[in-house]
Amino acid sequence: SGLEVVDQINVRIATDERLERAAGKYREFICKETLAKSLEFIQAASLTEPTGWNINGVSASIEVMKA
């Protein structure tokens, strides 16, 4: 991945509205814990190198990039 533990990152997520609301509710916590400068919800077609996840039965595509 080319990332170091101390690197700040940008996170982009494509998922359904329910997971987006839940993650959005905890955006500040997620960013703090992952050193993310941004947490953005976008359409899947806009992701360039996503990783597929199943989060509590909900599909999500997540892309992490060095900030």
Side-chain angles (χ1 to χ4, degrees):
S1 73
L3 295 171
E4 300 293 327
V5 173
V6 296
D7 287 340
Q8 290 192 322
I9 58 174
N10 294 317
V11 178
R12 299 184 338 153
I13 303 172
T15 190
D16 74 359
E17 188 177 312
R18 183 176 59 138
L19 185 57
E20 183 176 333
R21 274 194 318 270
K25 183 176 180 180
Y26 295 99
R27 179 188 305 266
E28 186 176 320
F29 175 78
I30 293 168
C31 287
K32 181 179 176 185
E33 293 297 309
T34 62
L35 297 180
K37 292 183 95 175
S38 67
L39 176 63
E40 181 181 9
F41 297 97
I42 63 171
Q43 298 294 317
S46 298
L47 297 173
T48 55
E49 295 184 39
T51 300
W53 287 83
N54 181 317
I55 303 171
N56 293 330
V58 178
S59 295
S61 295
I62 301 174
E63 184 172 71
V64 175
M65 301 168 294
K66 189 172 182 176

